[in-house]
Amino acid sequence: MPTATATATPKAVIHQRYGAKAVYRVDEVREAVDGVCPGLALPQSTRCVYRCQLDIPGVLSVSTPGTFVRKKDAEQAAAQIAIEKLGIQPTSNIPNTPEEAWEELISRISYFFTDENFPTSSHPLVGHLSVTLRRTGDFLGKIPISAIVACDVKVQTLCKIIDPKAEFDPLLVLSMIYNAAKQSPGVSVSNRNFWIQSQRPYSSEAVDLALQCWSGISDPIRVEAVLIPCAMEDEPKMVSLNISENEHYMGDIALKLSATDSSHVLVSRTVDKASSEMRFYFPAPDVQFVSDLSKQLVDDRGDRNMNCVINKRASYISGQTIYGDAVLANVGYTRRDTELQTDHVNLCTYYRILLRKLPDGIYKISKDSILVAELPCVYTRTSWKGPSPRDLLCSFCRLQRLSEPYFAANRVSASCNVLGSAVGSEEMGSLKATAGNQCANDGRIAKENPDMFKCSVKIYSKKRDLLLEYSTDYSWSKETDAIQNSALKVLIWFNRYFKQLNTPVEKLYLPKSTDGFTIYPNIFLQEFAMCLSVYGKTSGGDSRTCSAVGYFSMDTSYQQLESSAFLTDIDGQDSGVFPSHGSLACISYSAHLFMKDSRKRYLLEVNNEFEFEIGAGAVRNQLESCATQLSVNQSACFVDQLSDRDLSLAAACELSLDLSKICRDSCVLEFSVKVLQVTEPLEDRMEKALFNPPLSKQRVEFAVRHINQLHATTLVDFGCGSGSLLDSLLEHPTTLEKIVGVDISRKGLTRAAKSLHQKLSKKLLLQSSVPTAVLYHGSVTDFDSRLYGFDIGTCLEE
């Protein structure tokens, strides 16, 4: 058997010494992000970080001097400071060999059933014991063995040392504890079920004290839970648990699972947040099968018992092997309180847990915008909102049971650096020629320019097998920008991959190397096999019936699709301030699900203040199209397709039960949107702060001057966008008689048409002749005979 070593964490060391006396208080603070512009009246970017204070009454109180991105890191740092101040020398009492761990497991089980430990201990297992002491007859003093698995971390650690497979198999853990209990002094187990009890009766004083300290449930309570069928074709459904005072809470779960009794209910580790008691409960096979499991391990246990069929959905969420039908419930005892902790779990909870495991799931949830928000395709410190790409990638890898991503940021030499801190090589192309000429003409020395940074990323399995690596030729002037942008690229790649899982597995296209990515298919598909079995499942080849993610073809490059929303019920005066490319738009919106057949309408999502960058792919296409057609304080409605059902269920909250049977073809999404505020792009704000007059105004004045010098009567503006140059030219006296705008973006042309129409209408009221304005959909790279013979052409940055 393999050996294992373990070192106690600082929090574990403090707990071993002081137990519940040690109190951690974590405070959330906002911290400025590196790279802000001092002296500018611009919104500064911040992020959420944590600091921790540890109080041990009568001993000491310490605080972390710095801040941490994760709460648990702040707590561990505070515990480490306390250890150093107290001069504690941590000694690991965790066995180093499987044989030592087995002896320790036997001793640990005996310890739970001694009067010295019960009932004065704050251990959660005492809550289980106190409930059983209210019983009468044969069940008096008996608890399910799985309660030990749920309550004691040390038992789980010992089982992992005995056999590392125990980390992922609760059935194997049950087998180990059952066989160890048979050898534990003072403990009795049955040959017919999985009850465990003390061989000696508890003293009356211990029983009275237990009933006082652990009051249990005064009145029966009803707890909502979700039943996850083992068969993939069966949908999850809601169930109600009725927990009474004198019965163990697993009893009603056993009824829902058709298990023999509550001792035949297995428990997974906690799901989602570590602070909750949300777990999967599933039935155990017969005693003989479980007893033999840890004695004679086999690879294919499914052949030994008909009940041992893997529940793929529950296993994927928990990261452990779950067998048969499973109940997802939030109920249990903790060290923090003597009462049984319960909370409702509904279908929305289930689908949000699934959503969190997707590459863009945490981002959507952090924005409180499941239906609207999308993972942006670009990262800039000034406009990025929510968890950083690096934090998102780390969280994704943890939830997928992968190793922490490896980032390697390297300094590279830059012969001529004209880029800002958050500008990548994509933008370098437009400046390369000009910058190169300037450097050559001026004869400047390369060493005067600061170095640039590149970052590569590697993703490993838990076994440290490399499954993906990404390297790039892009460079940034700050190391943090290189790391964040590379992390975002990897996230986007994973996002596309997950959106492809609805295609048949035999048609799955997984390239070995593309766009800077090198994929190791065998390792990759092995690690994501459960994802394929859960998300890649379709009913008769129809990916629309049950889809946690949409469809995306991996062998095409990412592009933001042009999609114009057809607006209705436009309301509000035109303020003339429209969102443009690069600007930050702040909107309010609501999203309703409209069922065509029943004509029913359900509110799915509402957000009173949602901010995103135009052109960054940060929202669904139709909503961005709607926002760019409205000015500040205008509102409108539009209808969009129901992209996938599971997102709607994740957003539906209490309505998830009513919507669980919906079909995509019979529903649409109705959006109501209002533009609240538009903030100019950072470049424009910096322009106004650093240049007087702003560069945009200087460009227009330059164009007007040359038009009048040449006595030009016709002008074509290539890449006119929303028509800012054409609009500005109409405000100046020129010789122009006809102006034409050309752009590849239909959305930009729509905004330009609206703006020019308003400007020309006003000019007609004041003067008899005004220039003719025409807009064409096209590109400067495509020949167009309609543009032949114009006096002057412009191609200016807006």
Side-chain angles (χ1 to χ4, degrees):
M1 285 187 177
T3 60
T5 59
T7 304
T9 64
K11 278 191 68 176
V13 173
I14 292 294
H15 181 75
Q16 290 170 6
R17 182 67 63 93
Y18 299 102
K21 291 183 179 179
V23 179
Y24 297 85
R25 189 179 76 240
V26 179
D27 298 320
E28 179 181 312
V29 296
R30 304 298 301 184
E31 183 180 79
V33 179
D34 294 338
V36 295
C37 302
L40 294 181
L42 303 174
Q44 305 296 294
S45 180
T46 61
R47 64 174 180 174
C48 177
V49 293
Y50 304 93
R51 60 168 59 101
C52 179
Q53 178 176 328
L54 169 58
D55 293 319
I56 307 176
V59 182
L60 91 166
S61 176
V62 296
S63 300
T64 55
T67 57
F68 299 84
V69 175
R70 297 189 297 175
K71 290 181 181 179
K72 64 180 182 180
D73 291 339
E75 292 176 341
Q76 294 289 0
Q80 182 61 43
I81 294 172
I83 289 173
E84 293 171 357
K85 287 194 173 186
L86 294 171
I88 298 175
Q89 298 296 326
T91 57
S92 176
N93 59 353
I94 300 178
N96 293 324
T97 66
E99 292 75 14
E100 293 177 359
W102 181 255
E103 294 300 323
E104 179 67 23
L105 180 60
I106 294 172
S107 167
R108 181 72 174 171
I109 294 172
S110 293
Y111 165 75
F112 290 137
F113 297 91
T114 60
D115 278 345
E116 291 77 13
N117 176 58
F118 173 73
T120 57
S121 171
S122 62
H123 195 285
L125 190 62
V126 179
H128 293 268
L129 287 166
S130 65
V131 172
T132 65
L133 292 176
R134 294 188 179 91
R135 291 176 165 185
T136 58
D138 294 339
F139 290 109
L140 176 65
K142 294 181 178 180
I143 66 169
I145 293 179
S146 55
I148 298 177
V149 181
C151 292
D152 196 70
V153 176
K154 187 171 183 179
V155 164
Q156 299 173 26
T157 302
L158 293 171
C159 290
K160 286 187 287 185
I161 296 174
I162 298 168
D163 189 335
K165 294 178 183 178
E167 180 179 2
F168 309 105
D169 195 343
L171 188 57
L172 178 57
V173 174
L174 176 67
S175 177
M176 290 181 181
I177 297 176
Y178 179 79
N179 288 318
K182 288 182 175 180
Q183 303 177 33
S184 299
V187 175
S188 173
V189 292
S190 170
N191 292 325
R192 299 188 303 274
N193 49 47
F194 299 104
W195 296 111
I196 185 171
Q197 66 182 119
S198 173
Q199 289 180 343
R200 300 179 300 273
Y202 291 107
S203 65
S204 58
E205 293 80 6
V207 173
D208 291 340
L209 186 57
L211 297 180
Q212 293 174 12
C213 295
W214 297 80
S215 58
I217 303 168
S218 57
D219 297 310
I221 59 174
R222 182 172 173 268
V223 181
E224 299 294 335
V226 176
L227 176 66
I228 316 295
C230 183
M232 291 292 291
E233 60 270 16
D234 295 337
E235 295 289 338
K237 61 182 181 180
M238 297 288 297
V239 294
S240 294
L241 306 177
N242 296 301
I243 303 174
S244 60
E245 179 181 9
N246 297 320
E247 294 296 331
H248 194 275
Y249 68 83
M250 289 188 194
D252 204 46
I253 296 177
L255 291 176
K256 298 295 186 292
L257 295 171
S258 300
T260 306
D261 53 41
S262 53
S263 76
H264 280 77
V265 175
L266 283 167
V267 186
S268 76
R269 56 188 166 203
T270 55
V271 175
D272 202 29
K273 297 179 181 179
S275 59
S276 76
E277 285 299 309
M278 191 185 308
R279 303 171 187 270
F280 283 106
Y281 297 84
F282 57 102
D286 61 81
V287 173
Q288 189 61 47
F289 174 81
V290 172
S291 178
D292 293 343
L293 192 59
S294 58
K295 299 176 182 177
Q296 185 179 358
L297 298 177
V298 293
D299 292 330
D300 188 7
R301 298 173 196 145
D303 292 340
R304 299 187 59 181
N305 190 285
M306 59 178 297
N307 294 323
C308 290
V309 180
I310 295 177
N311 188 317
K312 295 179 180 179
R313 287 174 290 198
S315 299
Y316 172 64
I317 291 174
S318 66
Q320 294 181 299
T321 306
I322 308 297
Y323 301 97
D325 295 342
V327 169
L328 179 63
N330 193 342
V331 56
Y333 295 99
T334 69
R335 292 181 182 273
R336 299 184 299 274
D337 199 341
T338 58
E339 302 288 343
L340 180 68
Q341 301 298 302
T342 63
D343 199 1
H344 294 302
V345 177
N346 54 28
L347 288 174
C348 176
T349 309
Y350 167 75
Y351 284 106
R352 287 199 176 208
I353 293 173
L354 272 178
L355 178 62
R356 284 176 59 86
K357 294 180 74 70
L358 298 179
D360 60 348
I362 294 179
Y363 180 79
K364 285 176 175 288
I365 293 174
S366 70
K367 299 280 286 183
D368 290 324
S369 182
I370 293 175
L371 297 176
V372 166
E374 299 287 349
L375 194 64
C377 59
V378 293
Y379 169 83
T380 54
R381 294 190 307 276
T382 54
S383 60
W384 186 274
K385 307 295 181 183
S388 69
R390 185 185 186 279
D391 291 342
L392 290 173
L393 182 59
C394 291
S395 297
F396 170 74
C397 289
R398 293 186 204 110
L399 290 170
Q400 296 296 332
R401 312 293 174 182
L402 303 173
S403 296
E404 290 287 307
Y406 174 77
F407 297 92
N410 300 312
R411 192 185 301 269
V412 293
S413 186
S415 59
C416 183
N417 175 23
V418 295
L419 299 179
S421 62
V423 181
S425 296
E426 291 171 328
E427 296 148 282
M428 187 183 294
S430 61
L431 300 173
K432 188 179 291 183
T434 303
N437 292 335
Q438 287 178 348
C439 290
N441 294 336
D442 296 344
R444 294 175 183 166
I445 301 175
K447 67 181 181 181
E448 295 179 0
N449 298 286
D451 288 339
M452 305 287 282
F453 292 90
K454 294 181 179 180
C455 180
S456 60
V457 183
K458 293 182 179 181
I459 306 296
Y460 293 90
S461 69
K462 277 292 185 184
K463 298 178 180 179
R464 301 301 298 173
D465 294 323
L466 183 61
L467 55 92
L468 178 149
E469 57 182 326
Y470 169 73
S471 59
T472 177
D473 292 330
Y474 297 173
S475 57
W476 289 265
S477 59
K478 287 188 176 292
E479 182 178 4
T480 55
D481 291 328
I483 293 173
Q484 298 293 357
N485 278 279
S486 294
L488 180 58
K489 292 292 184 182
V490 176
L491 270 175
I492 291 173
W493 191 94
F494 272 117
N495 206 33
R496 297 182 206 169
Y497 173 76
F498 269 69
K499 290 181 185 296
Q500 193 195 12
L501 292 178
N502 283 323
T503 58
V505 176
E506 61 272 12
K507 295 184 179 180
L508 188 64
Y509 172 62
L510 189 62
K512 290 186 178 180
S513 180
T514 178
D515 298 331
F517 287 89
T518 301
I519 314 300
Y520 300 88
N522 292 337
I523 302 297
F524 190 98
L525 292 175
Q526 178 181 332
E527 289 298 318
F528 287 92
M530 193 63 73
C531 297
L532 286 171
S533 63
V534 173
Y535 291 128
K537 189 271 297 183
T538 60
S539 298
D542 183 5
S543 62
R544 298 175 300 176
T545 55
C546 182
S547 163
V549 284
Y551 172 80
F552 195 99
S553 176
M554 281 295 299
D555 50 2
T556 60
S557 60
Y558 178 83
Q559 57 181 352
Q560 192 67 27
L561 301 177
E562 289 286 342
S563 180
S564 297
F566 179 75
L567 305 187
T568 61
D569 301 328
I570 300 176
D571 185 39
Q573 293 293 324
D574 186 351
S575 64
V577 181
F578 290 86
S580 59
H581 186 85
S583 64
L584 290 178
C586 183
I587 66 171
S588 63
Y589 73 86
S590 62
H592 288 78
L593 179 71
F594 180 72
M595 305 182 73
K596 301 175 186 177
D597 298 336
S598 61
R599 312 297 294 177
K600 291 183 179 179
R601 184 178 283 102
Y602 298 90
L603 177 63
L604 296 183
E605 188 170 272
V606 61
N607 199 319
N608 294 323
E609 191 172 314
F610 178 73
E611 191 176 53
F612 64 97
E613 180 180 352
I614 300 291
V619 294
R620 59 193 303 149
N621 294 335
Q622 292 277 23
L623 187 134
E624 180 169 310
S625 171
C626 171
T628 54
Q629 296 180 55
L630 300 174
S631 65
V632 173
N633 292 327
Q634 282 191 315
S635 62
C637 300
F638 70 92
V639 175
D640 199 1
Q641 290 183 345
L642 183 65
S643 52
D644 59 72
R645 191 204 63 165
D646 291 7
L647 280 182
S648 299
L649 291 172
C653 295
E654 66 274 5
L655 295 174
S656 56
L657 179 61
D658 298 333
L659 306 181
S660 58
K661 302 299 182 182
I662 63 174
C663 175
R664 197 180 86 164
D665 291 337
S666 65
C667 302
V668 293
L669 290 176
E670 294 182 347
F671 285 91
S672 177
V673 181
K674 182 177 183 179
V675 178
L676 304 176
Q677 183 181 352
V678 174
T679 305
E680 293 178 315
L682 175 64
E683 293 79 5
D684 293 350
R685 286 178 279 154
M686 293 184 65
E687 234 180 61
K688 292 180 179 179
L690 300 176
F691 297 95
N692 187 22
L695 289 179
S696 56
K697 186 175 181 180
Q698 294 183 40
R699 295 188 191 103
V700 173
E701 292 175 348
F702 176 85
V704 170
R705 186 164 59 250
H706 278 265
I707 290 168
N708 289 333
Q709 287 176 357
L710 297 173
H711 302 285
T713 59
T714 56
L715 174 142
V716 56
D717 182 25
F718 293 100
C720 66
S722 57
S724 60
L725 175 62
L726 302 179
D727 190 74
S728 299
L729 290 177
L730 293 177
E731 297 178 353
H732 294 77
T734 65
T735 58
L736 293 175
E737 298 175 0
K738 181 179 181 180
I739 56 176
V740 171
V742 178
D743 201 276
I744 198 171
S745 171
R746 295 186 183 274
K747 289 189 294 186
L749 292 174
T750 301
R751 295 194 299 269
K754 189 174 183 179
S755 175
L756 290 174
H757 175 73
Q758 293 175 345
K759 186 62 67 68
L760 291 172
S761 298
K762 291 179 181 179
K763 290 181 71 70
L764 277 173
L765 298 175
L766 302 176
Q767 57 193 72
S768 56
S769 62
V770 295
T772 302
V774 182
L775 298 175
Y776 294 135
H777 179 250
S779 170
V780 69
T781 60
D782 298 332
F783 175 76
D784 191 336
S785 60
R786 296 173 297 181
L787 305 179
Y788 179 77
F790 277 73
D791 296 333
I792 191 170
T794 58
C795 189
L796 301 181
E797 178 187 0
E798 290 193 13

